[in-house]
């Protein structure tokens, strides 16, 4: 395993630990994406949005991709306040600034779908 941070006198995360953590995030965001329906209540939507907003900031592109996919689904069922203040700005930021072209493309696609269905 490769030590990612720390030094001989400071413990750090090992590569295997980071990969396992990112794999868990990917599975978690995939699961959220499947669970999002119009039946979720506004409190659940806010809780899930907070987690997804963290996911789009993770350095690993696959994690961000799965987070933006779930966020796009959540945006279609979220109330207007959550959509305008949290979800849409995050999707726009990824569409314009993400360093990974696939993440950027998919964020743009999510934004287009959102704008065509909601009129925003």
């Amino acid at each position: 395993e490769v030590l990612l941070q720390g030094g001989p006198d400071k413990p750090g995360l090992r590569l295997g630990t980071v990969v396992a953590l990112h794999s868990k995030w990917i599975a978690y965001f995939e699961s959220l994406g499947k669970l999002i329906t119009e039946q979720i209540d506004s409190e659940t939507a806010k809780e899930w949005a907070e987690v997804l907003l963290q996911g789009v900031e993770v350095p690993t592109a696959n994690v961000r991709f799965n987070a933006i996919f779930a966020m796009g689904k959540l945006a279609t069922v979220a109330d207007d306040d959550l959509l305008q203040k949290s979800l849409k700005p995050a999707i726009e930021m990824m569409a314009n600034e993400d360093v990974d072209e696939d993440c950027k493309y998919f964020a743009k696609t999510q934004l287009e779908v959102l704008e065509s269905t909601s009129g925003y």
Side-chain angles (χ1 to χ4, degrees):
E1 290 185 316
V2 177
L3 190 62
L4 292 180
Q5 57 182 324
D9 58 338
K10 294 182 182 178
L13 292 175
R14 299 205 174 274
L15 183 57
T17 304
V18 173
V19 170
L21 178 62
H22 288 180
S23 296
K24 288 178 184 178
W25 276 107
I26 290 168
Y28 182 71
F29 293 139
E30 284 179 349
S31 297
L32 280 183
K34 291 176 183 174
L35 293 172
I36 294 170
T37 67
E38 292 179 6
Q39 285 81 26
I40 66 169
D41 61 66
S42 62
E43 192 59 37
T44 301
K46 286 179 187 176
E47 290 175 16
W48 290 0
E50 289 175 15
V51 175
L52 292 170
L53 289 167
Q54 292 175 16
V56 297
E57 297 292 328
V58 172
T60 305
N62 287 343
V63 174
R64 291 193 316 276
F65 179 85
N66 283 282
I68 194 64
F69 177 77
M71 188 180 291
K73 283 190 72 176
L74 184 60
T76 64
V77 299
D79 63 43
D80 193 56
D81 187 53
L82 181 60
L83 175 64
Q84 296 301 325
K85 290 183 179 176
S86 298
L87 301 176
K88 189 173 180 191
I91 295 169
E92 289 173 335
M93 187 266 316
M94 281 194 74
N96 295 319
E97 300 175 17
D98 200 277
V99 295
D100 182 84
E101 290 301 317
D102 291 334
C103 289
K104 187 183 283 190
Y105 172 81
F106 196 71
K108 286 178 182 178
T109 302
Q110 293 284 28
L111 194 57
E112 290 169 3
V113 168
L114 181 61
E115 290 174 345
S116 70
T117 60
S118 66
Y120 293 108

